[in-house]
Amino acid sequence: MAAKKKCCTYNLVLCIFTVIGGLLLCLGILAAIFHPKLYRYIVEKELVMKPGNEAYNNWYSPPTPVYMQYFIYNYTNVADIFTDGKKPQVQQIGPYSYKEIRINAVVEQNDYEITYLQNYSYVFDPATSCEGCNENDMVWAPNVAVLTILSVINPLPSFVKDAIDFYLNYLSTQKPSLFQNRSVYQILWGYNDPFVESIKKIEDIIQKLIPKIKLPKIDPYIVLQHNGTKEAESIGNITILTGKSNINDVQKVIKWRGVNHTDVTFWNTTYGRMLNGSDGSHTQPFLERNSKVYLFTADLARSLYVEYEKDITVFDITLYRHTTSQWLFMNSSVNPDNAAFCGPTKCWGTGLLPIGQTQAGNPPLFMSSPHFYQGDQKLVDAINGLHPNKSLHATFLDAEPTTGIVMQAHKRLQINILIQPDEQISITKNIYEDVFLPILYVDEQAIIDQNTAEKFKSQVLKPKVYLEAGSYTIFGIGVLILLVVIAVFSRRFYKKRKNIEYKEFKDADCV
């Protein structure tokens, strides 16, 4: 009786372990199937921007250090430029590095949208600048004020240009010059131009003589870059989505300066005025390698896109690198979409974006990649000293594909000014074709530090590993328990069968 009771208990234990093993096996299979969805749910929930959470805090004041590194073009043959067919010769100097202190100052927000100002400040950082460089370094650079006035004069009637030329050469106290000697600080952060002050004296005369001519008002304070609140005011407010309705739209720009498109005077088509993507600090989460990443760049007053190039690793975190393609900057005759970004009067060559119409006074400014990388070879050949190089001059961003957080980026833009031939203006008489003179280029760069990387791995990547390892561990334990149960049942079955065969053998001997 005791043996029978012991046998029943033994069988019950085996049945319990069979059930436990089966449950763990099923749970492991379910975990393996659903843990990616669970992980995605957790990540998406954390990425929705709301005051106080990690995503919001990192956006409001990013922990990743950002530097604006300016490279200035110093013109070394100013006295000889455009005489006897001599081309401008430039010497690149820099970087003049500024640490960017980012504060996204919230103007208005709700659960779905945030409107803010990019209140960015810049502090000169000698440690990351070129050796011996300081803001007082003097360089020869294109004279933005004079070239802007020349572009205004260019379409005027001949007799008006003759009168202006006479005034400039014989009556004006400030003689016009295509180039000027300025400090790096002045070129970047501004200076008061005495030539613009002097030219303003004849503006009223021209307006009285020819009322139909509307001359744009040119501010005598010439500035290419802004700092602090001036930066925020010049860019204007931006409205983004929090991702609550659709996580794929997190930090997507939907309004600029209060409307859902750029100014209608900037670009020629609805396509050109569209707002697409984020500001470049974030992409959509769960990023695919073959996807385009759209960005809205207020500096250019337009949206653009970057395309997948390759995987890279930073602090053992796998990132997807996306970069600009040459197709993006092609002439409109090759890429019809770029007809949207032609100037008011004509379309320009590959690699140029006219931005004068987006600036006060309509200066003849054009954006390009540094050294005209991915631009028309004619642009490079017109200036001695330019050497386009992908590794130095390409724009790219490296995003962590799960969260869409950009962990490394280089946004590189060059500011150029156009000088055009005009036989009636003395200082341009030796110019025979349009020439785009580079002034400077900026490399806005950011890369996470090791502490931020380790924090990201512990908070985002390790939970994924734990979930995956946990599902396989549960599955493995369930399989192991069932294997043990099967082994025990097999052993008992074999032993029982052996006993039966032995008994049958003994009974046969008794016959």
Side-chain angles (χ1 to χ4, degrees):
M1 185 70 179
K4 187 175 181 182
K5 184 176 180 181
K6 183 178 179 180
C7 181
C8 289
T9 302
Y10 191 73
N11 289 338
L12 178 62
V13 171
L14 286 177
C15 288
I16 290 172
F17 272 95
T18 301
V19 172
I20 292 173
L23 287 173
L24 290 175
L25 180 66
C26 293
L27 185 60
I29 293 172
L30 290 173
I33 293 172
F34 291 107
H35 88 262
K37 293 184 178 180
L38 174 61
Y39 178 69
R40 184 175 184 126
Y41 171 77
I42 294 171
V43 170
E44 289 182 351
K45 186 177 179 182
E46 292 301 315
L47 287 177
V48 175
M49 296 174 63
K50 52 187 177 182
N53 75 353
E54 193 82 7
Y56 185 93
N57 292 339
N58 288 341
W59 165 82
Y60 178 79
S61 181
T64 303
V66 179
Y67 288 89
M68 299 285 280
Q69 296 203 319
Y70 295 93
F71 296 83
I72 313 296
Y73 292 105
N74 181 37
Y75 285 74
T76 59
N77 63 335
V78 170
D80 300 327
I81 292 177
F82 303 128
T83 62
D84 301 325
K86 290 185 179 179
K87 296 188 291 186
Q89 174 78 40
V90 296
Q91 172 195 19
Q92 176 185 298
I93 58 174
Y96 294 86
S97 184
Y98 293 78
K99 187 171 184 180
E100 183 178 279
I101 302 169
R102 289 193 169 198
I103 297 293
N104 288 315
V106 176
V107 176
E108 186 179 354
Q109 69 180 46
N110 55 46
D111 288 346
Y112 301 95
E113 298 177 6
I114 301 173
T115 299
Y116 68 99
L117 290 167
Q118 293 181 341
N119 196 355
Y120 299 171
S121 299
Y122 305 97
V123 180
F124 183 65
D125 182 32
T128 54
S129 298
C130 52
E131 186 176 354
C133 289
N134 68 74
E135 296 176 294
N136 294 322
D137 292 343
M138 301 298 291
V139 296
W140 282 97
N143 193 326
V144 174
V146 169
L147 294 177
T148 299
I149 289 169
L150 291 180
S151 72
V152 172
I153 293 172
N154 190 270
L156 296 180
S158 297
F159 73 93
V160 177
K161 288 197 283 188
D162 288 337
I164 293 174
D165 188 57
F166 179 81
Y167 172 84
L168 294 177
N169 285 286
Y170 299 105
L171 301 179
S172 175
T173 55
Q174 296 291 330
K175 303 304 179 185
S177 174
L178 297 177
F179 297 88
Q180 61 180 338
N181 196 224
R182 292 282 180 184
S183 70
V184 169
Y185 181 89
Q186 289 175 320
I187 290 172
L188 292 177
W189 310 110
Y191 59 93
N192 203 66
D193 193 282
F195 178 74
V196 178
E197 293 282 9
S198 69
I199 202 72
K200 286 174 73 69
K201 296 176 182 178
I202 64 169
E203 285 183 3
D204 293 337
I205 298 173
I206 293 175
Q207 295 289 179
K208 289 177 181 177
L209 292 174
I210 316 171
K212 292 183 179 179
I213 294 178
K214 300 297 182 184
L215 296 177
K217 296 298 180 183
I218 301 173
D219 191 334
Y221 192 77
I222 308 299
V223 58
L224 293 179
Q225 304 291 285
H226 294 282
N227 204 338
T229 55
K230 289 287 186 181
E231 170 84 349
E233 291 169 2
S234 67
I235 291 174
N237 63 55
I238 297 172
T239 302
I240 60 172
L241 295 174
T242 64
K244 184 171 183 178
S245 295
N246 183 349
I247 196 60
N248 289 329
D249 291 336
V250 64
Q251 295 193 31
K252 179 181 178 181
V253 177
I254 59 168
K255 289 181 183 179
W256 181 39
R257 298 175 178 173
V259 293
N260 62 357
H261 54 77
T262 66
D263 194 292
V264 294
T265 63
F266 291 174
W267 311 118
N268 299 330
T269 67
T270 302
Y271 169 81
R273 295 190 287 268
M274 291 174 64
L275 305 181
N276 292 319
S278 69
D279 68 353
S281 61
H282 205 283
T283 72
Q284 67 181 64
F286 299 96
L287 187 64
E288 300 288 341
R289 285 184 175 87
N290 61 354
S291 62
K292 290 181 179 179
V293 174
Y294 286 87
L295 317 168
F296 174 70
T297 304
D299 296 333
L300 304 180
R302 64 160 288 187
S303 299
L304 49 82
Y305 61 84
V306 288
E307 297 180 288
Y308 173 79
E309 182 183 13
K310 61 183 177 181
D311 285 17
I312 71 155
T313 302
V314 174
F315 293 119
D316 297 323
I317 302 173
T318 298
L319 309 176
Y320 291 173
R321 171 162 293 180
H322 285 68
T323 188
T324 54
S325 69
Q326 192 167 13
W327 177 254
L328 181 67
F329 302 109
M330 282 290 185
N331 182 280
S332 59
S333 62
V334 180
N335 181 357
D337 287 341
N338 282 343
F341 305 109
C342 292
T345 58
K346 64 179 289 187
C347 289
W348 301 94
T350 294
L352 293 169
L353 180 71
I355 60 166
Q357 63 266 34
T358 72
Q359 310 291 317
N362 195 19
L365 294 176
F366 291 73
M367 285 288 192
S368 71
S369 294
H371 288 243
F372 297 116
Y373 168 70
Q374 293 184 325
D376 194 314
Q377 186 61 34
K378 290 181 180 179
L379 300 171
V380 180
D381 293 340
I383 308 289
N384 288 329
L386 298 182
H387 308 285
N389 183 307
K390 180 180 179 180
S391 63
L392 298 175
H393 305 139
T395 288
F396 66 84
L397 57 83
D398 301 330
E400 197 285 315
T402 301
T403 59
I405 296 172
V406 175
M407 296 192 170
Q408 180 173 256
H410 284 265
K411 185 174 83 171
R412 293 159 169 156
L413 294 172
Q414 180 169 291
I415 301 176
N416 314 280
I417 192 162
L418 170 65
I419 181 170
Q420 294 179 295
D422 194 327
E423 294 180 356
Q424 293 179 272
I425 302 298
S426 300
I427 59 173
T428 64
K429 64 182 179 181
N430 291 322
I431 302 172
Y432 302 104
E433 61 180 353
D434 293 349
V435 180
F436 294 88
L437 302 172
I439 302 172
L440 62 86
Y441 81 81
V442 58
D443 181 356
E444 183 179 10
Q445 55 184 264
I447 182 171
I448 58 168
D449 55 33
Q450 188 161 5
N451 290 336
T452 305
E454 294 302 324
K455 182 179 179 181
F456 178 84
K457 285 189 282 189
S458 66
Q459 292 183 350
V460 179
L461 298 185
K462 286 183 180 179
K464 181 181 181 181
V465 174
Y466 295 153
L467 281 172
E468 188 172 332
S471 64
Y472 291 127
T473 300
I474 293 170
F475 177 82
I477 293 172
V479 169
L480 182 63
I481 290 173
L482 289 178
L483 288 175
V484 171
V485 170
I486 291 170
V488 171
F489 269 117
S490 298
R491 185 172 180 276
R492 290 191 64 201
F493 177 77
Y494 174 76
K495 190 175 180 180
K496 186 175 181 180
R497 182 175 179 183
K498 190 174 180 180
N499 288 337
I500 292 172
E501 289 175 352
Y502 178 73
K503 186 177 179 182
E504 288 177 348
F505 176 75
K506 288 193 68 176
D507 290 343
D509 286 345
C510 296
V511 176

